[in-house]
Amino acid sequence: DVQLQASGGGLVQAGGSLRLSCAASGLNVDDYAIAWFRQAPGKEREGVSAISSSDGSKYYLDSVKGRFTISADNAKNTVYLQMNSLKPEDTAVYLCAAGPYSAIAAIVRGWPPPPHEYDYWGQGTQVTVSS
């Protein structure tokens, strides 16, 4: 049974930092593409960042480049999203997801992570950035 447990969200002032964690069970994160998506009220879900541990490929949404860093700890089977210099527009529910080869291919090509290629989803963690 595959489970993805997202945690680390919270309320932070603009300019602050948070580190999100996506702890996986039932699969190995180095065999999958792991992505962070976010969804704000009234907006479409968007892919924020993704990682393919097998080859080190990473993807970042343009608006978070230079502020967010994705990493994987294969020993802990956990993927992290370090978020610095947070802005009010980063406010959303953040979800982690795992996808197979087709999702990995998108990361390698530098494409945004396509949600339909991700088979497993965590429950989400709320990030609220106050101005």
Side-chain angles (χ1 to χ4, degrees), residues 8-20:
L11 172 63
V12 64
Q13 289 187 334
S17 298
L18 287 172
R19 188 177 80 156
L20 305 184

Side-chain angles (χ1 to χ4, degrees), residues 22-70:
C22 178
S25 60
L27 60 79
N28 294 321
V29 296
D30 55 353
D31 290 334
Y32 283 78
I34 306 295
W36 286 97
F37 294 83
R38 67 186 180 188
Q39 187 153 22
K43 295 186 178 180
E44 291 188 359
R45 183 172 297 184
E46 63 179 354
V48 176
S49 185
I51 185 169
S52 168
S53 298
S54 60
D55 67 354
S57 298
K58 299 178 182 180
Y59 166 86
Y60 294 100
L61 183 67
D62 282 348
S63 62
V64 308
K65 284 180 181 177
R67 300 189 297 122
F68 291 10
T69 302
I70 193 168

Side-chain angles (χ1 to χ4, degrees), residues 15-18 64 66-69 82-87 90:
S17 298
L18 287 172
V64 308
R67 300 189 297 122
F68 291 10
T69 302
Q82 178 67 45
M83 306 188 297
N84 299 329
S85 302
L86 282 161
K87 303 176 181 180
D90 294 319

